[in-house]
Amino acid sequence: MIEQAWIIAIIPIVAWLIIFLFAKALKEKVAYVGILAMGISLLLSVLTFSEALGGTVEKSFPWAVVGDIKIPVGFQVDPLTAVMLLVITIVSLMVQIYSVGYMHGDVRYAKYYAIVSLFSAAMLGLVLANNFFWLVLSWEIMGLSSYLLISHWYEKPEAAAAGMKAFITTRIGDIGLLLGTIMLFVYTHSFEFNVIAEKIHAGEINQGIVTVAALLVFAGGVGKSAQFPLHVWLPDAMAGPTPGSALIHAATMVAAGVYLVARAYGIFVATPYALFWVALIGGFTALFAATIATVMTDIKKVLAYSTVSQLGYMMLGLGAGSYTAGIFHLMTHAFFKSLLFLGSGSVIHAVHSQEMHEMGGLRKKLPITYWTFLIGTAALAGIPPFSGFWSKDEILLAAYRSPYPVLFWMGVATAGLTAYYMTRAVILTFFGQPRDHHKYEHAHESPPVMTVPLVILATLAAVSGLPGSPFLHNAFGEFVKFGHGHEAEPSSFVMIIAISAALLGVLAGVAIYGYKVISREKAIRSWRPLYLVLKNKYYVDEFYMAIFVRGTVLLAEIVGFFDRYIIDGLVNLVGWLGMQLSFLSGLFDKYVIDGMVNGVAAITMALGNSARRLQTGFVQSYAITLFAGVVIGLILIQLIGG
Amino acid sequence: MLSSLIFIPLLGSLAILLVPREQDRTVKWVGTIFGLIPLLIVAYLWGQYSYSAQGMQFVEHYDWIPSLGISYYLGTDGLSFPMVILTALISFLAILASWNIKNRVKDYFFLMLLLETGMMGVFVALDYVLFYVFWELVLVPMYFLIGIWGGPRREYAAIKFFLYTLIGSVIMLVGILALYFNAGLNTFDMLALAKHKFAPAFQFWVFLALFFGFAVKVPVFPFHTWLPDAHVEAPTAVSAILAGVLLKMGTYGFLRVSHPTLPEAAKALAVPIAILGLINIIYGALAAMAQKDLKKLVAYSSISHMGFTLLGLAAMTPVAIQGAAFQMFSHGLISAMLFLLVGMIYDRAHTREIAKLGGLFNTIPTIAVILAFASFASLGLPGLSGFVAEFLVFLGSFGAYRTFVIIATSGVVFTAGYYLWMIQRVLMGEAKKEYLGLPDITARELGTVVPLMIFTTLLGLFPSLLMDIMNPAILGLVAKVGGM
């Protein structure tokens, strides 16, 4: 199977085509097409994974040739790809099964399934590609899919705007990736990751060039993985259907940026400076987004900022030098975050609201959702032995062992905040008294088609950390590693700090929202300026709106005005002067070039009455200009050629 | 065979003259059939085309006025053959899109076929006199098509178009005559003159003259203002031809005439040309963003996209030229598609004002979805042809013009900006009640855009379909001019 792994990406494309072409005939049966395709892809991914344990495969074929330059098409299956294939197909399959219930009766049910298939195909293609060109191609198809998915309910202005914002914001990063790709090609004459890495490793490329190229490539990751300062699109993207969010924000799209850094790790390790920036941006984003998540009251917004934060965590791991930790967290996060999104979807499905202040006490009404959500929370908060604990611990360990201790403390603070805001979310949603009785009364547990995926994902969220734990001899790290890999020496200090931070966060959450030991209102009042800054997400959106969006529109208006009144004004002025002149020349042309006029007039005759309504005399102008031109030409020739 | 591409449309136009004026349907059928035949011939030629041969293919060479060195000389190579394909395709689709013309049908179809003759002639002529005759021949039907079947300000737009391109072509004629006299070979043979080595100072001035003639057609900033007016006033099918084929005559002029014939000047002026290309890209995109009329937005996007061709041309590497030539073809497909769709929307909503439109996804879904497709193609979505062109231009120009390429990439963001903003305002949102019940796309209309969609996708996924045709000619050109 591993030799034909590319088929895994083709199957959902076929599904997309079938859904697209037969949407009307199939109606809601399109779901089965998508699910069947993803099921097959999952099966093949499992086979591929098992074969990848034995060794990697890479294949390349020429795709387009220009002069001596060849653009290849090819794929590889190495441990990184094998893991990604599994993660993507599992999450996508769960999302699609869940959507049968969640999207039932949607106005654009078929379109939704078509996009989800395309989305999955793009992400699968992305992790299979063995070169930058096809990575960029899949990357942008994913950008398109996310745009379509986010603006799925485009009748709502905020959904339409969010789709556009996502596409344009990520595209700013994409330009970096594009330029980085081109730059690497110019210096290495290759698009293929392995060839580029080898040439850099051999020291053939100037260090400064490598650093710039790596930072450019990283810019692409910053956009797609919603890292500061391009994080703004992700929270708005919540306007899309919730299962779509689960797909975008767990296994595809946002994971692509982290994957990109991992895939191009051969470039990054050659330049400590770039790697430092990856870690710094990652660490900063992790902390920054976590603080915002603590004050959000929309359950999806909490999860959205949590996603931004956790992606920062992955970048931090990669930047701190642990390839394995970054990928490991990418995997565990994909499971528990898709679980949490789908869980929130189940809640939203039940109460028709995303505001946590309108929920409360739902654990009795939605027992399965509650228990699975709790497991997801434990995993995200880093409570042992759930999956997030193991992967977070590895990242913190890498940061701890890195030359910059500040990265470690950023990670610790984020871990504490994460535990806090998730505890808060769980309590507000599932505990206490119902705050909106009408909504509470009508709430009911979701159908099995939605809860079964929750249970499966909860199982994975619980146990998927174990391959990276000492219980299984760190099997994950043995399989997914960069080069020969180097195990950071375990540290009980790091583990104790990580557990303490998580517990502290949980305790704080319980104290404020559970037992109300500390009054929430009082805290907000005494910390009002800080609260407002967080509530307004540090005013980044407002700043971008004022500077970049309005600035660009203003610039466009200026150009439009300049074009219309200055440039075209000049043109019209010249035209007017010409008309004055042609009056004089009219006399001239009557006598001098009569013959030419007759010649051209013949054409006019042929056109019959076509010319009737147009200004006559125009044809004469044509002739005279022609004549004048030839005269000038002959003079010029004399001047230059003589 | 190439002669037939020129003369069959001409024959068709004459045939139309014989049809009685009141028989509109017959006129339309005659026009369509005579538009289809060249397309079939081109398909046949494509099958016969040799991908490996250097130089011209399907050559026809007869003396015409031997005393002056004028001959009837036709041929095609990797630079012109894609343009021949494009001309045949777009012309046919434009004729098909013209079936809803009600006013003076006979004259209209007569002019459309005459226009095709002129365009074909420009791309296959290898003699300067012939080239110039066809070049001017294009002008006349275009002038009348805009001036008679256009919108409210059609006369202003037609005259502006005519004057602009006329002045351009007269100055171009000066350049051509200068080449003829200076070389002293007593021949108007384009290939023979391209082999002649002209003095650098002479090259410089003649290059400028030719450049002006071609630049007006492209159009290059600041000679572009005829384009938005012409587009807005022109009937739909004429806009499609204007953007799809006519603009490419300008860039084809660079590739066929000025660059190979005056390589020293092309090298000396490469940086200014690159800067103009850059201005086209950015300025065109920003101006597009400011437009309130949907058709004007598409017109300015043409200016922006033709800038990529200029940038690639200036870089003079095989990859960059490949990108430039690919962009010519790709933009021809995509812009024609955009104009056809805008026309369909206008026919139904009777407005092109972006602020008045809205919610079209829910009222005329098929048209709206195809417009979204064309927009994404135009903004360079990978998997479609526009991306290949832009990518090759960036890749090929990066070595020579790093800074320019970096600035040009910002144009890609602006482009995404104005298209997505347009989609948001025109296609998304609640269905407006005044547009409820509008008929969606008809089978004939679908027939005009589906071939373009197929080509756009095919070339995006398999660009070598076109690149393999262009490669030998481009390598030949770069060998002469390149080495920057």
Side-chain angles (χ1 to χ4, degrees), chain A residues 20 63-67 69 71 108 133-134 136-137 140-141 144 147-148 151 154-157 160-161 163-164 167-168 171-172 175 178-179 181-183 185-187 191 209 552-553 555-557 559-560 562-564 567-568 571-572 575 603-604 606-607 609-615 618 621-622 625-626 628-630 632-634 636-637 640-641, chain B residues 21 104 107 110-111 132 136 140 143-144 147-148 154-156 159-160 162-164 166 170 173-174 177-178 181-182 202 205 221-222 224-225 229 283 286-287 289-290 292 300 318-319 322 361-362 376 379-383 387 391-392 394-395 398 402 405-406 409-410 412-414 416-417 420-421 423-424 428-430 460-461 463-464 467 471 475:
Chain A
F20 185 78
W63 178 63
V65 182
V66 194
I69 286 174
I71 301 177
R108 283 181 287 277
F133 186 84
W134 283 83
V136 168
L137 198 134
E140 294 281 328
I141 299 293
L144 169 74
Y147 168 78
L148 295 171
S151 55
Y154 50 70
E155 288 88 353
K156 291 194 292 184
M164 179 163 87
F167 194 88
I168 293 175
R171 198 157 230 237
I172 293 170
I175 294 234
L178 187 72
L179 287 172
T181 300
I182 289 172
M183 196 166 162
F185 183 84
V186 168
Y187 288 96
F191 288 113
I209 301 288
T552 306
V553 172
L555 189 62
E557 294 291 339
V559 168
F562 178 79
D563 196 70
R564 183 152 180 201
I567 303 253
D568 208 29
V571 170
N572 284 333
I603 298 170
T604 325
L607 289 167
N609 46 14
S610 294
R612 187 177 54 202
R613 297 208 334 239
L614 289 157
Q615 294 181 348
F618 200 68
S621 304
Y622 172 67
T625 320
L626 196 66
V630 172
I632 296 167
L634 291 174
L636 260 176
I637 291 156
I640 303 165
Chain B
R21 179 156 290 279
R104 301 171 71 182
D107 302 329
F110 164 78
L111 290 167
Y132 187 78
E136 293 296 285
V140 179
Y143 168 68
F144 288 112
I148 296 173
R154 56 181 174 267
E155 296 198 3
Y156 170 76
I159 290 169
K160 194 169 178 181
F162 194 89
L163 280 182
Y164 236 128
L166 174 65
V170 165
L173 178 64
V174 170
L177 289 176
F181 286 112
N182 186 276
F202 174 84
W205 291 107
F221 174 91
H224 64 278
T225 57
D229 282 313
Y283 183 94
L286 285 170
M289 202 180 285
K292 292 172 178 58
Y300 276 100
V319 180
Q322 183 75 261
F361 270 138
N362 286 354
F376 273 95
L379 67 80
L381 185 78
F387 172 74
F391 184 79
L392 291 176
F394 289 147
L395 187 66
F398 192 81
R402 184 161 311 182
V405 169
I406 291 169
T409 50
S410 72
V412 175
V413 176
F414 293 140
L420 295 192
W421 196 25
I423 290 176
Q424 188 191 358
M428 292 184 171
E430 294 281 356
L461 294 176
S464 40
M467 285 162 75
N471 239 337
L475 291 180

Side-chain angles (χ1 to χ4, degrees), chain B residues 41-123:
Chain B
I41 295 173
V42 166
Y44 170 76
L45 290 178
W46 198 344
Q48 301 293 306
Y49 193 85
S50 161
Y51 285 63
S52 53
Q54 287 280 344
M56 293 295 162
Q57 305 195 26
F58 314 121
V59 172
E60 294 173 39
H61 200 166
Y62 308 102
D63 280 341
W64 185 9
I65 311 175
S67 58
L68 293 175
I70 301 171
S71 55
Y72 180 81
Y73 186 9
L74 308 179
T76 186
D77 66 351
L79 297 176
S80 57
F81 194 60
M83 292 297 107
V84 170
I85 300 171
L86 190 67
T87 306
L89 179 68
I90 304 282
S91 298
F92 172 66
L93 297 178
I95 288 170
L96 202 60
S98 302
W99 273 59
N100 57 356
I101 290 284
K102 291 179 185 68
N103 175 26
R104 301 171 71 182
V105 176
K106 184 174 165 177
D107 302 329
Y108 180 93
F109 279 83
F110 164 78
L111 290 167
M112 281 296 259
L113 287 170
L114 198 62
L115 186 63
E116 185 175 0
T117 295
M119 295 188 298
M120 277 292 184
V122 166
F123 292 127

